[in-house]
Amino acid sequence: MRAPLWAQPHHDGSAHYLEQRDGSAVLRVLVPHTHGRSGAEARVAVRRLRDAEPAWTQAEVERTDVGGTWWRAQIPTEGDVTRYRFLIGTGGAAGGYTWLNAAGVHDHDVTDAHDFRLIAHPGPPDWVADQLVYQVFPDRFARGVAGRDVPSWAEPAGWDDPVIWEGPHSPVQWYGGDLDGVAAHLDHLERLGATVLYLTPVFEARSVHRYDAVTFDRVDPALGGDAAWRRLIDAAHDRGIRVVGDLTLNHTGVGHEWFRRAQADAASPEAAFYYFDEHPHEYQAWWGIKSLPKLDHRSAELARRLYDGDASVVARGLRDGLDGWRIDVANMTGRLGTIDLTHQVATAVRRTMADVAAESGADPGWLLAEHGHDATDDLVGDGWHGTMDYNGFTRPVWAWLNGGSEAGPGVRHGLPFLGAPVDVPVLGGDDVAATIRQVHAAMGWRAWTASTAHLDTHDTPRFRTVTGGGTHGWVDRDGLGRERHLLGLALQMTLPGVPAVFAGDELGLTGVNGEHSRTPFPWDRRAAWDAETLEAYLSWTALRRDHVALRRGGLRWLDVRPGSLTYLREHPEERLLVHVVRDPDEAVAIPLAALGLAGAGEPRTLAGTPPRTEAGRVLLPPIPAAHLYTLPRAGAAQAPAARAV
């Protein structure tokens, strides 16, 4: 029978366990005293691959404490990626052994797929780890200038009109939000603790979502044009808020100036930017949607204009003040049939961003990829820094906190499961934790912590609807689904990754699909906001801001059950214990020694209900809520007082 999680050996890619140097890395692994004979009597070795052949380094005991023995090994880093895992022998002919890799412990041989990774290429910008992202869909956030000309393609709507969430009118329903409106409400972002503003595309287009750009040379006049974009970036920077733009490298709109030239002249440079099967009207398009012709990245001229070099759209955006780019449909970019240039594109974008930063002396930019499923192969090396973590965060959290909402008014089945042809399931915490561990073991720690954790986005149903908050497309002020929504919020703020809040989540907005979720922000209906949800967002974002372990700490699972998830966030400066309960059950008991607490005090409550301590154990409350505790150490400074959430 496998030992409980709190009794299993542990290592991760955080500063608590890994110190990467030029040409080598110092690795630390904790072997609890309860593992095998004892942590100190175990034998620990590091297995890495050198030229595809296993190489071994024996670890040595660094120190022993009440929780176990800390083993240390220093290994060389060779090539772009060094894969490694630990072999832990429990001693004697009958003792056996354990493998420890990024997916956990195994009492049998395993493949290399989930080995820990050391990446030789420069990592994501250091500032990314401390950020809280706020996502804005510009047409639906706020109107800053009244009386703007209505675009020729648009169908105007009143700010309180219901959102058209299906059919051909949905992408042209124009509410008239603009960039000056966003700038006018930056105080709301500041209050929420947001440090990055991510906006969906702002280039001129023929829809409200603007993923069908007609040019990359100017900001849409319907949003206020280039001048409004400049004002917004400057205003955000004045408040210490970074700005990330949204760029589609996979396709353009059918009205794009490049595509018009390509259709007009088969011998033009632009004709090589697209995949023409039969010029001028037969061409490849995103998902076969002819209004979105697909870009052919075999064209060096396309690369030069769009993302490779000083004259590119990517470089120009950074020189205009952007702090990073989110790449739309990154998983499909550069891929068509047997053609696969995705990594080449990602590498060129990242190189351009690094060059611009070096020339200007600015901080390096953040390169974030949209990817809806397994992004493993796209995240190793010198490409995207991270991804929108649908696969490793959104999907498992939805499955654990699904409240059974329906797919829409009058529809009796549940919400679709993020692109899968099934309804959102209901899974136990054990299965959810297994998903989180498996996905991120494959991604690697560095990519995981540079990825964004979303409860929802402009492309999905609202999380409040998933948790049971209704399908009416407005604020769930009555609080249906609120309890589970706030459990998801706690997971978002306490698991690794960069939290990303879609504007309106903090009010309790609902929606049954991506179009429905793009609800205009109800600035003039503040009495309708769900005040309890907003207060919870203010509290949890402040907790993340105030505690470095939540931003930069490792992740050590202690206990997972169908109705609860319990884990440590560990950093050299502090250790925090997180206990999130979905269903009432018996108290979770963790030995004091496993928490390193013997003789060093008890957990101090930061959020939720205080635990009980008896018989050498901490008994964590079975109350459905998110409970957060700081773990004192001998001589540690007094922890801050509990925060009401």
Side-chain angles (χ1 to χ4, degrees), residues 456-520:
D456 51 32
T457 71
H458 67 296
D459 286 327
T460 75
R462 288 276 185 176
F463 186 60
R464 188 58 160 260
T465 293
V466 175
T467 62
T471 60
H472 44 74
W474 202 246
V475 176
D476 173 30
R477 190 183 175 198
D478 295 331
L480 299 173
R482 180 194 295 133
E483 181 178 281
R484 290 194 171 192
H485 180 173
L486 300 186
L487 295 182
L489 169 65
L491 292 172
Q492 186 183 33
M493 297 298 156
T494 61
L495 281 168
V498 181
V501 176
F502 181 31
D505 280 351
E506 70 274 25
L507 310 184
L509 287 183
T510 62
V512 300
N513 66 8
E515 300 286 354
H516 200 211
S517 297
R518 301 169 188 178
T519 309

Side-chain angles (χ1 to χ4, degrees), residues 301-385:
E301 177 61 16
L302 170 65
R304 186 190 69 80
R305 294 191 197 181
L306 193 51
Y307 57 85
D308 192 0
D310 188 63
S312 65
V313 175
V314 166
R316 187 167 67 245
L318 296 172
R319 287 198 303 270
D320 287 344
L322 286 181
D323 299 284
W325 284 106
R326 178 263 194 187
I327 305 301
D328 179 55
V329 201
N331 59 304
M332 299 180 74
T333 297
R335 290 186 171 122
L336 182 68
T338 60
I339 300 169
D340 189 346
L341 302 175
T342 300
H343 189 71
Q344 175 180 310
V345 174
T347 299
V349 175
R350 186 160 160 184
R351 181 175 60 245
T352 296
M353 294 175 68
D355 289 347
V356 171
E359 292 168 5
S360 64
D363 290 339
W366 184 17
L367 181 55
L368 182 69
E370 181 193 22
H371 204 304
H373 46 281
D374 186 358
T376 301
D377 292 341
D378 291 346
L379 292 174
V380 176
D382 55 352
W384 321 121
H385 288 134

Side-chain angles (χ1 to χ4, degrees), residues 600-633:
E602 299 181 356
R604 181 176 175 83
T605 304
L606 298 175
T609 302
R612 292 187 295 116
T613 302
E614 63 178 42
R617 302 179 303 167
V618 173
L619 300 180
L620 301 175
I623 302 168
H627 312 276
L628 179 65
Y629 312 103
T630 183
L631 301 181
R633 294 176 301 219

Side-chain angles (χ1 to χ4, degrees), residues 9 35 45-47 56 85-89 97-101 104-110 115:
H35 183 77
V46 183
R47 175 196 183 271
W56 297 89
R85 63 179 185 259
F86 297 91
L87 180 66
I88 303 170
Y97 65 89
T98 296
W99 285 111
L100 170 62
N101 64 12
V105 298
H106 313 273
D107 296 328
H108 55 268
D109 280 337
V110 294
D115 282 1

Side-chain angles (χ1 to χ4, degrees), residues 156 206 247 250 311 403 497 533 573 578 596:
R206 293 179 177 174
L247 180 62
N250 180 70
T533 296
E573 296 179 17
V578 184

